Amino acid sequence: MTLAAVAVVQFMVSLDLSVVNVGLPQIAAGLGFGAANLPWVIHAYALAFGGLLLLGGKAADRYGRKRVLLLGLGLFGLASLLGGFAQAPGHLVAARAVQGVGAAALAPAALALLTATFPTGRPRVRAFGVWSAMNAAGGALGVLIGGLLTEYAGWRWVMFVNVPMAAVAVVLAQRGINTDARPVRTGRPDVVGAVLATSGVTLLVFGIVRTDRYGWTSPVTVTTVVVAVALLAGFVRLERITTREPLIRLGLFAHRSVAGANAYNLLVGAAMASAFYFVSLYLQRVLGTGPALTGLQFLPFALGVVVGSVLAIKLGYRVAPWILLVTGGLMTATGFAWFGLISVDGAFLTDVLGPSIFASIGFGLCLGPVVSLATVGVPPHEAGTASGLLSSSRQIGASLGLAALGTAANHRTGQSDAPAALNDGYALGLTLSAVLLVGAVLIALTVLRRVPDSR
């Protein structure tokens, strides 16, 4: 029952990372977003989610995982309702940010419950396989659901759809989670650290996104990045000297598994978020596909991720997790490099279907093992913090990756809306996504290969 409740919660959180992607052109037209500001519909959610996940994980350990999970679900549902009634760009961006706050509370709490319920052995491999399948299916099916809702019900329903899902998740959590670890309270939580971390990441992404206007070497960009780095350095310093309970105990990074899994996850998050964004826009703005059909054409990707996740469960009983990370990472990188060959005169069958299947199966192979490795050797009372750290690395990676690769793609297009120019920009972004996956594979080979096997 705990696994069922956590799986539904994770599906909803993951779905909301991608459900708005297909509707972005209609959202821009309906609310008057400019081209440079439109990605903030995605950034606002990812930044609040990623920046506050550490605080969410600490709160789950401190106040009780079930309690924090239910609080996060309520906030998530309310923000979704308000976002559906948005009348201006700022309204929707604010609602997406509040959604991210709610997700930052519920996601690490759910993952910590799963870690505590299935600590070792075959049940752990199976549980994390199911979790990863729901996580990936939510992201991929979010594109399909978003496309259908945008075309047949209006873009506002990509927000409204979360309300009944959150309500169902509350019922499942209430009934399905009957036990919880005793909260650990050794001091006051480090709220200042959360503010420093979130502010630093937000400024860093903002500086990268605005290079389309100011340039990479302009004083505005350099100053923004320097301030962001200073804030993040201040966060690290504060975690070492604070008399409060640290937001994250830096000693966690002494675990090779924690450090390696989070670095791997950051690069995968950056690549996947960017790839979803570019492929969705390629189908709509270059090939002229409608929102509903675009969503339907993401279905092979969703099914491929589920297949990869099931394979990870089967193989997880026999091979070490790092082998799955290397194999899956190389498959996904190959799929993205294949995507980089997209053509302005292309079609779904020739340019999208093949790389979708190849990349999705590889991605499914990665998800469960990286989550399992990220909590190896972590004390039970820090399970929420470690879970929050892992989710944070993926979301921050997604936001930074989309900002950097989106800016690179915009520079390649020269701000032109001509299909040929857009195709060149999207192809570059997808090729760079493949490069990020190769970096993740190198981390698995050099760092995670020497992690003790926890099977």
Side-chain angles (χ1 to χ4, degrees):
M1 289 299 294
T2 298
L3 176 59
V6 169
V8 171
V9 166
Q10 187 58 41
F11 179 87
M12 182 186 70
V13 171
S14 182
L15 178 139
D16 224 61
L17 285 168
S18 62
V19 72
V20 302
N21 281 16
V22 179
L24 286 176
Q26 287 74 18
I27 290 173
L31 294 181
F33 275 95
N37 295 325
L38 186 59
W40 282 96
V41 176
I42 298 172
H43 293 325
Y45 179 79
L47 279 174
F49 190 7
L52 292 172
L53 271 164
L54 294 177
L55 186 61
K58 177 62 71 174
D61 289 336
R62 179 182 175 85
Y63 299 110
R65 293 156 190 171
K66 182 176 179 179
R67 180 184 299 175
V68 172
L69 175 67
L70 293 173
L71 176 64
L73 283 170
L75 188 60
F76 191 92
L78 178 61
S80 299
L81 181 64
L82 295 176
F85 290 111
Q87 299 298 314
H91 298 166
L92 183 58
V93 171
R96 290 283 289 167
V98 177
Q99 274 187 321
V101 175
L106 62 91
L111 189 53
L113 283 165
L114 194 65
T115 299
T117 305
F118 303 95
T120 57
R122 292 172 68 91
R124 180 182 176 90
V125 173
R126 183 177 302 170
F128 280 108
V130 171
W131 178 91
S132 65
M134 294 298 286
N135 180 27
L141 289 176
V143 183
L144 171 60
I145 294 170
L148 293 173
L149 289 173
T150 299
E151 184 154 331
Y152 297 114
W155 69 262
R156 295 182 184 277
W157 279 94
V158 302
M159 299 295 292
F160 289 143
V161 70
N162 293 307
V163 178
M165 291 181 63
V168 170
V170 167
V171 173
L172 283 173
Q174 285 279 23
R175 296 185 178 182
I177 302 173
N178 298 317
T179 59
D180 194 0
R182 178 176 296 181
V184 177
R185 303 183 184 182
T186 59
R188 291 180 295 174
D190 182 17
V191 179
V192 175
V195 172
L196 287 174
T198 305
S199 300
V201 173
T202 302
L203 273 179
L204 184 60
V205 173
F206 181 78
I208 295 172
V209 169
R210 298 308 290 165
T211 54
D212 62 340
R213 177 176 177 181
Y214 298 110
W216 289 95
T217 59
S218 71
V220 173
T221 300
V222 172
T223 301
T224 302
V225 172
V226 168
V227 173
V229 172
L231 288 171
L232 293 173
F235 164 70
V236 174
R237 173 64 176 168
L238 180 64
E239 297 309 282
R240 299 182 64 181
I241 65 174
T242 182
T243 57
R244 295 191 172 204
E245 187 175 357
L247 185 65
I248 177 170
R249 186 175 61 83
L250 297 181
L252 276 177
F253 290 103
H255 296 276
R256 178 182 292 270
S257 59
V258 173
N262 277 278
Y264 185 99
N265 208 37
L266 183 121
L267 293 176
V268 170
M272 292 307 301
S274 302
F276 267 74
Y277 182 76
F278 293 130
V279 173
S280 175
L281 291 179
Y282 169 72
L283 288 169
Q284 294 184 85
R285 301 183 68 183
V286 177
L287 300 186
T289 308
L293 184 56
T294 295
L296 187 63
Q297 289 175 346
F298 268 86
L299 187 58
F301 190 96
L303 296 176
V305 174
V306 174
V307 169
S309 299
V310 172
L311 285 175
I313 296 174
K314 302 289 187 182
L315 297 173
Y317 302 140
R318 301 179 180 88
V319 301
W322 71 269
I323 296 177
L324 294 177
L325 295 183
V326 170
T327 304
L330 288 175
M331 287 185 64
T332 309
T334 302
F336 286 168
W338 190 354
F339 265 130
L341 302 177
I342 53 175
S343 167
V344 68
D345 299 317
F348 170 73
L349 292 177
T350 57
D351 291 63
V352 177
L353 181 59
S356 289
I357 295 174
F358 208 75
S360 61
I361 293 176
F363 183 45
L365 286 173
C366 298
L367 284 172
V370 76
V371 174
S372 181
L373 281 173
T375 53
V376 170
V378 175
H381 68 274
E382 290 186 309
T385 302
S387 300
L389 178 62
L390 183 72
S391 298
S392 181
S393 65
R394 181 179 176 187
Q395 301 314 323
I396 291 174
S399 191
L400 290 175
L402 182 56
L405 271 58
T407 300
N410 286 337
H411 278 289
R412 172 63 66 88
T413 65
Q415 306 301 313
S416 172
D417 288 331
L422 292 174
N423 182 83
D424 288 346
Y426 302 153
L428 174 63
L430 289 162
T431 302
L432 292 176
S433 296
V435 174
L436 292 176
L437 259 299
V438 172
V441 169
L442 292 176
I443 291 172
L445 284 170
T446 58
V447 179
L448 295 174
R449 185 174 182 175
R450 289 180 282 175
V451 172
D453 198 337
S454 63
R455 289 173 294 158

